[in-house]
Amino acid sequence: MALPAIQGTGYHFRRILSYFPQDISLAFAYGSAVFKQIGAAQSNAKNMVDFVFAVDDPITWHTMNLMQNRSHYSVLKYLGPKKISTVQNKYGAGVYYNTLVPCDGKVKILLQKENGRLQTALTTNLKSALTASFLMLPESFTEEDLYLQIAGLSYSGDFRMIIGEDKAKVLNIVRPNLEHFRKLYSNILQECPQAVYKQAHGKIEVDKSPEGQFLQLMSLPKHLQQNITYLVDQPGRNRDVEEVLLQVAQDPDCGNVVQQALFGIVKSSSLSQSAKGVVTAGVKKTISYSAKKLYKMVRSLRKQ
C-alpha cells in the first residue's frame, strides 16, 4: 500500500504501524520517498511512500483492519475478509494492493518478528536474485553491473516499463544506493563458492564453466527452473528438470534462456496483479495513480 510521506526519520515510518492491526510479521517501506533516486523529487508531504506488510493470517488481519480502517478498502469491503483474502491469494502475485491511503506518516525494515521461516525466506530470496543475475552477466563485471542486474529482475517483463514507468528507473535506483546494496549482498558474495569478490576493487568474477552454471541453475527457485524447462524442452519429450538444466548449462545462450524465463514470470504476474489492483484499490484511485505514473514517464522521456 502507498501512504503520503512526511518529513522525518525512521520514527515516523514506524509510527504509521500504530494505524494498522499489530499482527504483522514483517513491515518495510521502500521507493523514492525512502531511498534517494536520481531525478526523483525531494521528499515532501505530496510524495507517495510504499509499504509492504507480511502477515501470517490474512483473514484475521483483514478482519481487524476492516474494523480499524474500513475506508481504506474498495467495494470489496462489502464482501468481507474471507473474500478479500481469496482475491489476495488466488490472483496475481498473492498481494492485496492498495494506493492513495491517507495516513499520518512515511527498503527500510520497520518491524520484523523472530520467525525462522521468514528469515530463511528473506535470505533465500537474496541468494536467488544473486544466482539468477550471475547467470545473465559475463564472467567478470563490476558491483554496479551486478546491482543493476538484480534491481532489474522485477522489472524485466513488467508491462509498466513500456507504459507508466521511468525508462531509467533501475539506474536511478541503483546509482544513489550502492552502499545499501553492498550491505545486503557483500556477506553473501564473500561466502559464495561460485564467485570471486574483489571488494577493494568493486569487481566480481563468476564460474562460467558448464559445471559452474549447472550448479547455479540447480539452485534457482523451482518456478524459474520449470519455466526454463518449458522454454527449452521440446513438446512430448517430458524430460526431467535436471536433464534440461544440464543442457542449458552447456548452451552459450544460457543467460538469455534464464532472462526469457524470468521475463515470462514477471510479465504474467505484473499483468494479473495490475488487473487485480483495479478491484482492490478501486477504479477512481487506480486512474489517479496511473495518471501520476504516466506523468513521471513523460517527464523522464522529455529529459532524455
Side-chain angles (χ1 to χ4, degrees):
M1 60 180 59
L3 307 170
I6 64 170
Q7 301 290 341
T9 62
Y11 164 76
H12 296 96
F13 292 107
R14 293 183 180 89
R15 190 171 69 179
I16 63 97
L17 294 179
S18 65
Y19 289 83
F20 297 92
Q22 296 304 292
D23 189 19
I24 297 174
S25 297
L26 173 69
F28 62 88
Y30 67 100
S32 59
V34 180
F35 293 108
K36 184 180 178 182
Q37 289 185 23
I38 296 172
Q42 293 298 311
S43 180
N44 58 61
K46 293 183 180 181
N47 281 356
M48 298 300 296
V49 184
D50 300 305
F51 288 88
V52 171
F53 296 161
V55 301
D56 292 325
D57 186 344
I59 295 177
T60 299
W61 195 88
H62 283 299
T63 299
M64 294 187 291
N65 198 43
L66 280 166
M67 291 188 288
Q68 290 181 225
N69 301 298
R70 190 172 179 83
S71 63
H72 292 181
Y73 288 84
S74 65
V75 293
L76 287 180
K77 61 190 171 192
Y78 299 112
L79 302 180
K82 288 186 178 180
K83 289 293 185 182
I84 290 173
S85 297
T86 298
V87 171
Q88 171 182 325
N89 295 321
K90 189 174 181 180
Y91 306 101
V95 175
Y96 186 91
Y97 169 80
N98 202 355
T99 188
L100 300 176
V101 174
C103 186
D104 180 24
K106 245 176 151 287
V107 166
K108 286 192 175 181
I109 291 181
L110 309 176
L111 170 70
Q112 183 176 339
K113 291 186 177 179
E114 291 296 329
N115 184 317
R117 289 179 61 192
L118 176 60
Q119 185 56 52
T120 298
L122 291 170
T123 303
T124 300
N125 189 58
L126 290 174
K127 291 180 178 178
S128 296
L130 197 66
T131 302
S133 297
F134 281 170
L135 287 161
M136 292 185 285
L137 286 164
E139 185 175 2
S140 179
F141 47 87
T142 66
E143 274 190 280
E144 182 175 285
D145 291 334
L146 174 63
Y147 302 141
L148 285 169
Q149 188 71 60
I150 290 173
L153 292 176
S154 62
Y155 294 105
S156 174
D158 191 335
F159 81 97
R160 292 171 300 178
M161 292 303 292
I162 300 173
I163 179 169
E165 282 288 4
D166 185 341
K167 303 305 179 186
K169 188 174 183 68
V170 175
L171 182 65
N172 293 344
I173 290 171
V174 172
R175 283 261 169 97
N177 294 292
L178 285 172
E179 281 305 313
H180 292 295
F181 279 96
R182 286 192 184 103
K183 287 178 182 177
L184 281 174
Y185 288 101
S186 61
N187 287 340
I188 300 175
L189 281 168
Q190 288 169 355
E191 296 170 3
C192 180
Q194 298 297 318
V196 177
Y197 179 32
K198 301 176 180 178
Q199 190 171 12
H201 301 92
K203 297 277 189 178
I204 301 156
E205 295 175 0
V206 295
D207 184 357
K208 283 293 179 177
S209 68
E211 295 80 10
Q213 293 195 138
F214 178 65
L215 289 173
Q216 292 163 25
L217 288 165
M218 287 298 293
S219 66
L220 292 174
K222 283 186 170 57
H223 188 188
L224 180 52
Q225 290 178 343
Q226 290 166 354
N227 264 40
I228 292 171
T229 302
Y230 176 79
L231 283 173
V232 175
D233 206 19
Q234 296 177 0
R237 296 194 64 181
N238 298 320
R239 291 184 295 167
D240 291 339
V241 171
E242 185 173 341
E243 184 182 351
V244 174
L245 296 182
L246 182 59
Q247 174 190 330
V248 174
Q250 301 174 66
D251 191 331
D253 291 326
C254 174
N256 290 333
V257 174
V258 175
Q259 189 170 36
Q260 288 178 42
L262 277 166
F263 185 95
I265 292 172
V266 176
K267 180 181 179 181
S268 175
S269 62
S270 71
L271 286 169
S272 55
Q273 183 65 39
S274 295
K276 186 176 77 174
V278 178
V279 178
T280 58
V283 175
K284 184 178 178 181
K285 287 200 287 185
T286 299
I287 292 173
S288 177
Y289 178 79
S290 299
K292 291 178 180 178
K293 283 288 187 181
L294 285 170
Y295 172 75
K296 288 175 68 176
M297 182 190 75
V298 171
R299 187 178 62 183
S300 171
L301 290 172
R302 285 177 176 172
K303 286 181 180 179
Q304 295 176 18

